[in-house]
Amino acid sequence: MSKDWIIWAVTAWIVVFMMAGQAVATCLLGAGILGIILWIGPGVLNGIIGTDTFYTASTYTLSIIPLYLLMAQLLLKGGVIVDLFRVGHRIAGYRRFPLGVATLITGGLLGAVSGSGTASAAALATLAGPELQRVGYTRSFSVALAAISGSLSVIIPPSLLIMIYGSLTETPIGHLFIGSIGPALLCILVYVGCLYAFGDVVPGVEDGVRGEVEDDDPATTRRSVSAFIFVVALMVVVFGGIYGGIVTVGEAGALGAFAAFVGMIAMRRVGLGDIGRALVDSVKVSAMLLMLLIAAQIFSRFMSFSRLPTELLHFAEPLVANPTALILVLMLGLFVAGMVLEEVTIIVLSIPIVLPMVQAAGVDLIWFGVIACFVISLGLLTPPVGLVAFSAATAARTPVGPVFRPCMLFSSISAFVVVAAMMLFPGIATWLPSHLN
């Protein structure tokens, strides 16, 4: 079989099985094994599969993923989502625009303890959606704002997407975490401006009306404030420790998981059953991600044998000579991919192909990783699939079509402003990492 036909066969394998609903890890693993067999022969499989599997599974950077997942699961099982929003609701003073801003900030804080955009969006849609409607926002806009807030989890550390990017590119994850803070804050500011300018309000609804009586329960208020302070302190300790050089990223993950465990027990937020479920959920997600990365490693080995990235690099030489044009093309591709694929799938499929181009163009990998994750997060808000928007609409039991309209408006403006700012001022993503101790 000719080399071109082998590449087409591998591509067809991925497309057919993904359209059939197979797991991405299964598709990549099968495509990698098929490609290696057709390109070289079955004799090399024992050495390649065993070696690559062991190497990927034993990589130190992957050991931090279960730690951050456990920290997030313990906080979620402790019900801190409700407390974060309740405190934001109280600070907003039952007013429309401040409550919308509080929802965005809650989404940012939730991203710091969750790392999953779809889960954050679904939680905010059920929790914040009714309150946003009560103060006057339309139902579709309330759900859209919850989806937009939830999408911040993709770029706010400890984002799973950033950790996977760091593992695939061997870029320091601590530097990626710190580098994503500036663009995330800028993105939140852009969303706040969009909320002020384009908030969709039902005519005649009075602003500033107080909510339910139970919001004034002193015990509930103390419980929420204590949880809010604990989460903020935990994030400051974890990421402040990384920035100050006091702890490594792995040590920060262990510290965060242990502190979440002790804190949730001390506040009587979790029992043995909750702890068990948090451990099980963390193991499930960790195993899924590990299998996906092993499959990506096998597929990358086939890509190396086929020299496809090298051929693509030669084909893209005019773009490589112009890094600005290259980044714009890649960002457009990632944005389109985000419309139809899950964020982890996009990173795993694209990195083996685009990384040689990015390196040849001399682009900083920390900067590229942050901007790539940001653009993917915007694609998750837009049709035809828009997984984060769809998750929020499903949780709120509302049609997804009207939800897409505000999401597309916010994401388009944010894409233009944040991407332009990061390209004109790369220090937004690189200045803080350059000062890590």
Side-chain angles (χ1 to χ4, degrees), residues 9 16 26 52 65 70 86 99 111 154 182 223 242 247 275 307 358 365 387 414 427:
V16 169
T26 305
D52 285 359
I65 293 179
L70 180 58
R86 184 176 286 127
L99 183 60
V154 180
R223 176 184 171 92
I242 295 174
V247 293
I275 295 172
R307 296 182 59 81
V358 173
L365 291 183
L387 288 176
S414 181

Side-chain angles (χ1 to χ4, degrees), residues 200-419:
D200 191 4
V201 179
V202 177
V205 176
E206 184 180 354
D207 193 9
V209 178
R210 293 180 66 85
E212 301 295 333
V213 176
E214 61 264 26
D215 288 347
D216 293 326
D217 179 27
T220 301
T221 301
R222 286 195 299 269
R223 176 184 171 92
S224 298
V225 171
S226 63
F228 177 83
I229 293 173
F230 175 77
V231 169
V232 172
L234 180 62
M235 294 302 104
V236 170
V237 169
V238 169
F239 298 109
I242 295 174
Y243 182 75
I246 301 171
V247 293
T248 64
V249 180
E251 292 167 346
L255 176 63
F258 178 74
F261 175 76
V262 174
M264 291 297 100
I265 291 179
M267 289 188 287
R268 298 180 181 179
R269 292 302 192 94
V270 296
L272 288 177
D274 296 316
I275 295 172
R277 285 188 289 273
L279 288 169
V280 169
D281 290 343
S282 301
V283 169
K284 285 181 179 179
V285 177
S286 299
M288 178 195 71
L289 293 175
L290 185 59
M291 184 63 192
L292 185 61
L293 292 173
I294 289 173
Q297 180 66 24
I298 301 296
F299 183 73
S300 297
R301 184 59 66 97
F302 161 70
M303 297 284 284
S304 299
F305 288 142
S306 68
R307 296 182 59 81
L308 182 59
T310 304
E311 297 298 328
L312 289 174
L313 182 60
H314 291 318
F315 178 77
E317 278 183 354
L319 286 177
V320 173
N322 187 347
T324 300
L326 174 66
I327 293 300
L328 291 175
V329 171
L330 293 179
M331 291 306 105
L332 178 62
L334 291 174
F335 181 81
V336 173
M339 295 180 178
V340 295
L341 294 174
E342 194 263 347
E343 63 263 34
V344 175
T345 303
I346 299 169
I347 283 291
V348 170
L349 287 175
S350 63
I351 287 302
I353 298 174
V354 305
L355 185 61
M357 303 180 195
V358 173
Q359 291 175 320
V363 177
D364 185 276
L365 291 183
I366 295 174
W367 180 89
F368 178 76
V370 172
I371 195 173
C373 291
F374 167 73
V375 170
I376 291 172
S377 75
L378 299 180
L380 297 173
L381 292 169
T382 53
V385 178
L387 288 176
V388 170
F390 185 81
S391 174
T394 301
R397 299 181 180 179
T398 189
V400 71
V403 173
F404 274 136
R405 286 193 286 271
C407 288
M408 290 181 64
L409 177 62
F410 278 55
S411 61
S412 300
I413 295 174
S414 181
F416 177 79
V417 174
V418 178
V419 171

